[in-house]
Amino acid sequence: MQALFSIVMPTRNQVGFIEESLRSVLDQDYPSIEVVVADGNSTDGTQTLLEKLSKEDPRIRWFSEPDTGPANAVNKALSRVRGTLIGWLNSDDLYTAGALSRAAAALEANPQWLMVYGHGQHIDIEGKVLEQYPTLPPAGEVERFKEGCFICQPTVAFRRTLPLLLGKLDESFNCSFDFDYWVRAFKTFPDRIGFIDAVQAQSRLHDGCITTNARKQVALEGL
C-alpha cells in the first residue's frame, strides 16, 4: 500500500484550462491519488465539466460554493482531503510526468521532512515554456525571501501534518498567501524542508492569472 496523495485545486471560471490541469494529475504514474477541487461558484461551464469528469473518474471530488478568495478555497479543500500526502495545483497549472512519484519517494526516504519542493517553469497560454522559475534550494537563511519568493507553488508537496502544525493559509492575503506560507514554514521548520532537483510543475502565465493580473498587489503583499 502506498500513501494516498491528495491534490487540492482551487478554481473559478477556468473551464479553458482545468481539464488539462486535472489530466496532469490523473495521468501521473503514482498509483494512489485523489483530487479535491474547490470551485468558487463558476459561471463559465466549469461545474458542468467537473460533473462530467468526476463521473468518468471517481478520483475527482469537487464542491462549489462562494469563497472569499483563493486562500479560502484552498483552506476549505484542505479540510476535505483524505490523504497523508498533499499537493496544491491551481486549475491552470500542470504537473510534469513523475512529479508525484518523486515527491512521495523523497518524503518516504526522509521521514523528518514535512515539505518538499522542486524546480518550476513558467508556461504561456498554449503551454510553451517561457522561462525557468528562479528556484533556490532550502539551504540558507530565511532572509533570502527578502529578494522574493524562490518557491514555485505548484512544485510543493507536504505531509498532512504540516497544515495541522502550521495552521491555515492566511486569508487576509489576496495574492501572496503561498509566499507567506513558505516563509512561515521556513521559520518554524528550517531543518524539515527538502528539495527535489527536477522540474516538478509548470505555472501558467496568462491575462486571467493572479501573477499577471495583479502585479501591484502581489508586490505589495510580498513586501
Side-chain angles (χ1 to χ4, degrees):
M1 293 291 293
Q2 287 186 282
L4 177 62
F5 218 131
S6 297
I7 309 303
V8 297
M9 182 178 289
T11 190
R12 187 174 187 276
N13 292 336
Q14 293 283 348
V15 71
F17 298 115
I18 191 170
E19 184 170 2
E20 185 181 7
S21 296
L22 285 168
R23 296 296 180 199
S24 80
V25 180
L26 301 173
D27 290 345
Q28 292 285 310
D29 59 3
Y30 190 79
S32 185
I33 295 170
E34 70 166 3
V35 190
V36 180
V37 182
D39 175 66
N41 271 4
S42 291
T43 58
D44 66 342
T46 295
Q47 295 178 40
T48 301
L49 178 60
L50 287 172
E51 182 69 23
K52 171 181 176 291
L53 295 176
S54 63
K55 287 180 179 178
E56 295 173 353
D57 195 324
R59 293 178 294 173
I60 300 173
R61 295 192 293 124
W62 69 282
F63 62 94
S64 186
E65 60 188 36
D67 58 52
T68 59
N72 180 237
V74 173
N75 282 333
K76 290 194 289 188
L78 286 171
S79 72
R80 289 165 165 82
V81 300
R82 297 181 293 203
T84 55
L85 303 179
I86 298 174
W88 165 11
L89 188 73
N90 293 327
S91 59
D92 50 1
D93 295 340
L94 304 172
Y95 280 131
T96 59
L100 298 187
S101 289
R102 289 190 292 271
L107 289 167
E108 182 178 359
N110 299 275
Q112 76 279 12
W113 288 356
L114 290 173
M115 166 181 146
V116 295
Y117 66 97
H119 295 287
Q121 296 174 329
H122 281 141
I123 58 174
D124 66 11
I125 194 170
E126 297 177 347
K128 179 182 177 181
V129 175
L130 298 172
E131 61 188 0
Q132 302 299 310
Y133 191 91
T135 305
L136 296 175
E141 300 297 326
V142 72
E143 282 73 17
R144 292 183 303 160
F145 280 112
K146 290 180 180 179
E147 302 300 321
C149 184
F150 54 80
I151 297 176
C152 185
Q153 172 255 303
T155 73
V156 174
F158 49 87
R159 300 186 193 276
R160 191 172 184 176
T161 48
L162 180 67
L164 295 176
L165 295 170
L166 199 57
K168 297 180 178 181
L169 297 177
D170 188 339
E171 296 178 15
S172 68
F173 289 110
N174 294 318
C175 303
S176 297
F177 41 86
D178 55 340
F179 189 178
D180 169 72
Y181 209 63
W182 313 146
V183 174
R184 286 159 57 190
F186 268 68
K187 285 183 174 181
T188 310
F189 307 110
D191 300 319
R192 304 188 69 182
I193 299 172
F195 184 69
I196 299 169
D197 191 11
V199 176
Q200 290 288 92
Q202 297 176 317
S203 178
R204 196 186 303 268
L205 299 180
H206 58 94
D207 290 342
C209 73
I210 288 175
T211 303
T212 301
N213 204 32
R215 288 185 179 275
K216 182 178 179 180
Q217 188 68 24
V218 169
L220 289 172
E221 291 185 3
L223 289 172

